[in-house]
Amino acid sequence: MKKGIILYTREDYEKNRWFAERFIEEAPDHGMVIRLVLTDLIALGSEEGRLFIQYGSERWNTPPDFAINRSRNSRIALQLELMGCRVFNSSAVTNVCNDKAKTHQLINAHGIRSVKTMFELSDWENHGMNYPLILKTISGHGGNEVHRIDNEEQLAAYVTAYEGEQLLIQEMCSNPGTDIRAFCMGSEIIACVKRSSTDSFKSNYSLGGKAEAYSLSEQERQLVMNVLSIMKVDFVGIDFLVDEDGEFLFNEIEDAVGTRTLIQNYEINIVEKYLSYIRNNLVI
C-alpha cells in the first residue's frame, strides 16, 4: 500500500476534523494508508548534506509516498518534495495561491481581468484608485482580514492597525456580494457554486453567505480553463467576482479549498474523487 500523510494546522484540523478523517477512513479502499500530521509538531532540518523532518520524537529521513497538504504551508511542502514525496497541492501552488499579490501577478499577466488592484505601496494615501476600496491582507483566507474602505481616514487606520503585514487594495466590484467558485481537480472543472450575501460585500459561506449550484456558460468555462492552463493544480477553488454586466472578474485561488458548499449542493463524494485522483497520479 502507498503510505501518505494529510497535513493540517491544529486549528484547521479542529474545524475540519470530519473531512480529514474521511480521507483516513477511505484511503484503504484505494490501496493507500493515510496518517494525520499536525504542522505544530514538525521541524525541518538538514544534516551532512541531507534533509530530514522531525515529527515529535520521530525523525524522518525517508518521506512518505505522498502528502495531502491542507495546511497552506509551502515550506513544509517543499521540504517533502525535495526529499522525494509527491505533494498535493505542490509547494509552488501553495506558495502562489496563499499570497494574493503573487496570484494576481501570475493570473493577470496572462490577460485575465480583475478589478483594479494595487500592492507594495509605499504611500497609501496616493494610490490613484476610486473609493470604496477593499483592503485585504496578502495571506488571509476565508474572507477574514478583508475590509471595506470608504475614505482616506479609514484606509490610514487599517494600514496602521495592520502595521508589519503585507496588504493589497482593490477597487470595489460594481456588483458586490456575489461570486462564483469553480472547484477544479487537475484540468477538470468538478462543479461550481454561486455564493451571495444580501447584507455584506463578502459572499463567503463561512461568514453567513448563501450558496447554490451554478452552471457555467461556455465562455465562463473557457475562462476557468484558461486559469487552469497557467498553473498545474491538484485540487483548488477558483473564485470570480461578477460585475454589473454579468462578466467574470478573477478574484483569487483557494489552495486548501473548503468543500461545504460543494457537498451541500451536489451529490459528489469529493474525498473519494480526490483519493482516486491521487492514486492515479502517483508513480507506481
Side-chain angles (χ1 to χ4, degrees):
M1 282 193 169
K2 292 290 184 180
K3 295 182 179 180
I5 60 175
I6 185 164
L7 280 164
Y8 271 96
T9 64
R10 190 174 297 274
E11 180 182 3
D12 281 347
Y13 172 66
E14 292 302 329
K15 293 177 182 177
N16 299 281
R17 183 186 294 262
W18 174 85
F19 188 63
E21 291 180 352
R22 286 278 303 278
F23 280 95
I24 296 168
E25 292 167 3
E26 295 188 27
D29 295 337
H30 299 266
M32 299 183 287
V33 175
I34 293 177
R35 173 188 181 185
L36 172 69
V37 170
L38 299 175
T39 58
D40 62 351
L41 297 177
I42 287 180
L44 309 178
S46 64
E47 187 175 29
E48 299 295 332
R50 299 194 58 169
L51 301 178
F52 68 88
I53 294 174
Q54 192 75 31
Y55 185 62
S57 61
E58 303 173 23
R59 175 160 165 159
W60 302 353
N61 293 309
T62 302
D65 296 312
F66 66 94
I68 304 169
N69 187 10
R70 302 287 295 178
S71 72
R72 305 182 186 87
N73 189 313
S74 63
R75 190 171 287 110
I76 294 174
L78 180 59
Q79 184 94 346
L80 284 163
E81 289 169 348
L82 292 172
M83 292 173 68
C85 177
R86 171 68 160 90
V87 182
F88 302 82
N89 290 307
S90 70
S91 62
V93 169
T94 296
N95 178 265
V96 169
C97 295
N98 289 286
D99 183 316
K100 292 179 174 61
K102 290 180 181 177
T103 307
H104 276 284
Q105 285 178 312
L106 180 62
I107 302 302
N108 296 151
H110 287 79
I112 295 173
R113 295 171 57 238
S114 301
V115 294
K116 186 176 180 180
T117 301
M118 294 193 74
F119 43 90
E120 296 290 332
L121 275 76
S122 57
D123 181 358
W124 291 93
E125 292 183 6
N126 296 306
H127 46 72
M129 300 174 74
N130 296 315
Y131 289 98
L133 301 175
I134 303 299
L135 178 143
K136 306 175 181 179
T137 59
I138 293 293
S139 60
H141 60 271
N144 297 312
E145 300 175 352
V146 177
H147 308 280
R148 173 176 170 143
I149 307 295
D150 290 311
N151 51 55
E152 291 182 9
E153 290 74 19
Q154 287 183 2
L155 178 60
Y158 275 114
V159 169
T160 300
Y162 281 115
E163 185 176 4
E165 294 267 8
Q166 290 185 296
L167 303 175
L168 169 152
I169 54 174
Q170 298 177 311
E171 291 186 350
M172 180 173 279
C173 178
S174 58
N175 181 33
T178 299
D179 76 358
I180 306 297
R181 168 165 289 177
F183 292 91
C184 303
M185 191 171 292
S187 59
E188 175 189 0
I189 303 171
I190 299 169
C192 297
V193 295
K194 178 180 181 180
R195 305 185 301 175
S196 59
S197 174
T198 56
D199 55 7
S200 173
F201 67 91
K202 303 180 192 180
S203 56
N204 303 73
Y205 187 71
S206 60
L207 299 178
K210 297 180 180 179
E212 58 186 306
Y214 182 85
S215 295
L216 296 171
S217 69
E218 187 53 43
Q219 180 180 359
E220 291 164 350
R221 177 173 292 276
Q222 186 57 57
L223 179 58
V224 177
M225 295 305 296
N226 289 346
V227 175
L228 289 175
S229 72
I230 296 170
M231 180 169 49
K232 181 176 172 53
V233 304
D234 293 310
F235 179 43
V236 300
I238 305 176
D239 295 347
F240 297 89
L241 303 176
V242 184
D243 70 17
E244 60 188 354
D245 298 318
E247 296 292 321
F248 277 17
L249 299 170
F250 173 80
N251 191 33
E252 59 186 278
I253 303 175
E254 286 286 343
D255 163 34
V257 61
T259 59
R260 290 182 180 87
T261 58
L262 179 65
I263 294 169
Q264 178 191 51
N265 288 283
Y266 294 92
E267 293 183 1
I268 296 174
N269 184 340
I270 192 60
V271 172
E272 191 280 333
K273 189 172 183 65
Y274 200 11
L275 287 170
S276 293
Y277 172 90
I278 289 169
R279 180 65 190 181
N280 292 336
N281 281 272
L282 289 175
V283 177
I284 305 300

